[in-house]
Amino acid sequence: MNNGPTAEIGGNTYHIGDYISFEAYNSNLTLDTYVTQIDEKAMYSETKDGKYMVQWDLEKGNGILVKYPDSYLYNY
């Protein structure tokens, strides 16, 4: 049982360490990420290699990339 902070997105409840998939709406980028932080308004998830970070808005339920390699900007 996990007693840490939780976040709800799309009817699913997430804890630190849980898997969540991110799909960028403006490209074909799909990322396998894991929840690293949860606060009152947002949840953060990262890829295992730490190159990408997604910030999830808990009110809207959407995610945006907030950390990515420079090469991402040139590929999309």
Side-chain angles (χ1 to χ4, degrees):
M1 177 180 254
N2 192 330
N3 293 328
T6 62
E8 187 173 320
I9 295 177
N12 296 313
T13 301
Y14 296 94
H15 300 87
I16 303 295
D18 285 352
Y19 167 84
I20 185 169
S21 179
F22 171 78
E23 294 181 27
Y25 73 92
N26 60 348
S27 71
N28 62 355
L29 179 70
T30 300
L31 298 172
D32 294 328
T33 68
Y34 297 86
V35 178
T36 56
Q37 181 182 344
I38 298 171
D39 60 36
E40 297 86 29
K41 296 190 183 223
M43 175 176 82
Y44 299 87
S45 63
E46 289 188 54
T47 55
K48 283 194 174 196
D49 62 10
K51 291 183 179 179
Y52 294 87
M53 178 187 282
V54 180
Q55 178 181 341
W56 300 88
D57 183 314
L58 299 182
E59 292 179 6
K60 296 177 183 174
N62 62 335
I64 59 168
L65 280 176
V66 293
K67 177 183 169 190
Y68 43 83
D70 290 341
S71 60
Y72 171 78
L73 297 175
Y74 303 111
N75 291 328
Y76 297 101

